[in-house]
Amino acid sequence: MAEANPMLSLDALTFQTARGALEQGCAAIAAGETVFDLGGVNAADSSGVALLLAWQRRAQKAGQRLTFINVPGNVQKLAALYGVDQLVLRS
C-alpha cells in the first residue's frame, strides 16, 4: 500500500474535476492503495458518486476492495438517494 494517501490532494469531486480525479484514483489503485480518505473534499456533486463507483470497479478488476473514509455528507446522501450507498460506502 502506498505510504501517503494520494486522495488527500483532492478538494472537489465535481463534474469539472472528474477526469483528473478519476485518473488520480486509478493511479492510487494501481499503486496498491485501498483506503481513500476524502476528508479534504470540500465540494461534491453527483459526479462524486460516479467516481466512487468507477474507482470501486477499477479496484475490483485489480482484485482489491476500496474503503472510503471521511466521505462528505452530501456524497453520502446522494449515494443513498441513488441506491448505491451499500456499494460504495460500506467498509
Side-chain angles (χ1 to χ4, degrees):
M1 182 181 322
E3 239 178 74
N5 187 324
M7 301 315 297
L8 292 175
S9 65
L10 289 176
D11 64 353
L13 297 176
T14 62
F15 180 76
Q16 290 80 13
T17 64
R19 172 175 256 143
L22 178 63
E23 292 171 2
Q24 189 175 3
C26 289
I29 293 163
E33 187 68 55
T34 58
V35 178
F36 283 13
D37 185 343
L38 304 176
V41 174
N42 297 313
D45 59 22
S46 59
S47 297
V49 175
L51 283 166
L52 298 183
L53 288 168
W55 291 329
Q56 202 62 272
R57 281 190 305 270
R58 179 64 62 101
Q60 186 177 24
K61 285 182 183 179
Q64 300 172 343
R65 172 89 176 123
L66 295 182
T67 300
F68 300 105
I69 60 173
N70 299 315
V71 179
N74 64 330
V75 174
Q76 292 179 29
K77 289 177 185 174
L78 285 170
L81 177 68
Y82 301 144
V84 297
D85 52 327
Q86 292 301 311
L87 296 174
V88 295
L89 301 178
R90 66 179 175 199
S91 45

